[in-house]
Amino acid sequence: MVKLFVSSLWVALHFFLSFLTRVRPVIGLQYPSKSSCVVKREKYSSWTEQAQKSLYAENHPLDCMNVPILLCSTQVKKFQGTGSRLFFLGRCLTEGLNSKRVVVLSNELLSTHDMLSPFESWSNCTLKDTQSNTSRSRIKFYYPMDSTSLIKSVEMPAVGALYPREFEVRGYWWWKAQEITYALRPKIETTEAMKNKFGTSFEDMIVFQVRRTDKTLGCTSVYGKKSAIKCKSEAHAPEFVNYIDALNKFEKNLSKHILVVTDDVHIKQEISQVKENFYEFLEPEPAPKRIPDKQGKGGIYKARALKDAIDILSMSYGNPLIFTYSSGFGALALQIKQTRENFCSDWSSLDWGKREWPPIGTISEGGVRGVKKDTKLTSKICGVSGWGTYPAESESNYCSVILKKSSKEGGDGAAIFAFCNCKSR
């Protein structure tokens, strides 16, 4: 009887400890008050509205025939996907605000226009408007991939931050999300296509983004040695079990449906090996292999543009979103998710990201991951700590970000966890 009692007690204790690790690294802490949460949400909602109105007003003048124009080059230097291209193109919107010019995209790489076709136009002005009043000062040509603003600063380990002077006090993490949110405003037809695919369930899904192929294997493995397309492997491919492990760090009152956004045609085999019975995986639709444009640099085509748009938008609704920040595709979804949820979101990245996108240290006051503390780059949105140094006040913050310092911390492969502490308040 004593042995049976001890055995039962151990099982109960093990279950309880497992429950704790599913919810948070530490529980029983003081969450922010309901009133505090409301104030924060309203502040970030108001800031987002202000930024989006500013971008729209600057790019929708009453007279396109005489307004100053920033002619933004769509040309690229290398084989680039959607995320990487939009990181650079988005800077045109920021440069436009700073120079008080309307952004018009060039026709140098038409596949970029295909890529953006499911989204609203950035401006009501077009290339035709550049042909009138051709005074030298009216048209300014801007090449975002050669901009001096890309020069790395001593304040963070990434390409240079660019943001409008009027919003610089709000930091780089906040602004980049505004920039991408404006750039990827879906057309009505795109939203309808997403609703037809998911119904209303897209607002209540767990989303995994599993990026493989050329991102993790390099272009030679995907397109062959004889192909003119050259790109190196940029990231490690996490195992599918790492996504499940990361999911188990979040609270259990989640949706039971998991959407897997991927370019791996073998993903169904990995899903079939998952032993977790609580969740139901939606039928995955792996993205087709990218077909390069004639210059070998585009990597996008018309038939795939709508699918890419729906994938990005559905990822942005992930609750939580578990992805790899090194994927520009996933980074786009995160930016949109942050603005929609007033910067209080549940998400996890299985890697640290790449040097293009804002480093995670800019979401806080800095002092982590190479981001200097209390500079104008920092957005001061969430509190940041490590798994082993989770402070008692972390959950009193609007949101908490937990960083893993080594492969032994956290018990799984994820590098970054973000928790919204105001989700139900």
Side-chain angles (χ1 to χ4, degrees), residues 178-408:
Q178 302 297 336
E179 185 185 270
I180 296 302
T181 296
Y182 180 84
L184 300 184
R185 294 164 295 132
K187 291 179 177 176
I188 294 175
E189 299 88 343
T190 305
T191 302
E192 289 301 316
M194 190 164 77
K195 288 180 179 178
N196 290 338
K197 182 175 181 179
F198 297 111
T200 57
S201 63
F202 70 86
E203 296 182 358
D204 185 31
M205 296 188 300
I206 299 161
V207 180
F208 294 169
Q209 185 221 8
V210 184
R211 180 72 164 92
R212 304 264 173 87
T213 64
D214 54 274
K215 169 66 71 172
T216 58
L217 299 174
C219 285
T220 300
S221 299
V222 177
Y223 298 99
K225 293 181 179 180
K226 294 182 180 181
S227 172
I229 305 169
K230 305 297 180 185
C231 69
K232 296 180 180 179
S233 170
E234 295 181 341
H236 171 70
E239 299 293 331
F240 198 76
V241 67
N242 297 142
Y243 290 83
I244 299 296
D245 289 342
L247 177 60
N248 287 336
K249 292 295 179 184
F250 291 90
E251 293 178 340
K252 199 63 176 178
N253 58 336
L254 304 167
S255 167
K256 291 186 178 181
H257 298 98
I258 299 179
L259 171 67
V260 180
V261 176
T262 186
D263 55 358
D264 188 346
V265 295
H266 304 295
I267 199 68
K268 288 184 181 181
Q269 298 175 19
E270 294 184 64
I271 291 175
S272 66
Q273 296 171 5
V274 175
K275 303 300 182 183
E276 175 63 75
N277 294 322
F278 180 79
Y279 303 108
E280 177 184 340
F281 286 90
L282 302 180
E283 185 70 15
E285 296 180 13
K289 185 169 68 173
R290 288 184 290 175
I291 297 177
D293 53 35
K294 292 180 181 179
Q295 294 177 300
K297 295 178 180 178
I300 203 76
Y301 59 98
K302 290 182 180 179
R304 177 174 156 167
L306 181 59
K307 174 173 172 48
D308 281 355
I310 291 175
D311 282 349
I312 291 169
L313 294 171
S314 59
M315 285 168 60
S316 74
Y317 280 95
N319 182 29
L321 168 65
I322 300 176
F323 71 119
T324 46
Y325 193 33
S326 61
S327 165
F329 206 74
L332 292 173
L334 178 63
Q335 314 307 314
I336 300 170
K337 177 180 178 64
Q338 291 274 276
T339 54
R340 181 191 298 114
E341 298 177 355
N342 297 318
F343 294 87
C344 196
S345 302
D346 285 348
W347 59 273
S348 176
S349 172
L350 302 190
D351 63 23
W352 293 110
K354 57 192 298 187
R355 65 185 296 268
E356 290 177 356
W357 295 94
I360 189 62
T362 57
I363 200 174
S364 67
E365 61 184 11
V368 293
R369 298 296 299 173
V371 177
K372 287 199 172 182
K373 195 168 184 177
D374 292 327
T375 68
K376 67 178 183 179
L377 291 170
T378 59
S379 293
K380 300 178 177 63
I381 298 171
C382 301
V384 175
S385 63
W387 279 103
T389 57
Y390 195 78
E393 68 273 13
S394 286
E395 293 191 357
S396 64
N397 291 321
Y398 183 55
C399 47
S400 300
V401 173
I402 306 175
L403 309 180
K404 188 178 68 169
K405 294 182 180 179
S406 72
S407 59
K408 296 180 180 179

Side-chain angles (χ1 to χ4, degrees), residues 74-76 85 106-113 293 295 298:
T74 54
Q75 190 60 273
V76 296
R85 272 202 261 179
S106 77
N107 277 343
E108 292 165 281
L109 199 59
L110 292 177
S111 60
T112 296
H113 291 274
D293 53 35
Q295 294 177 300

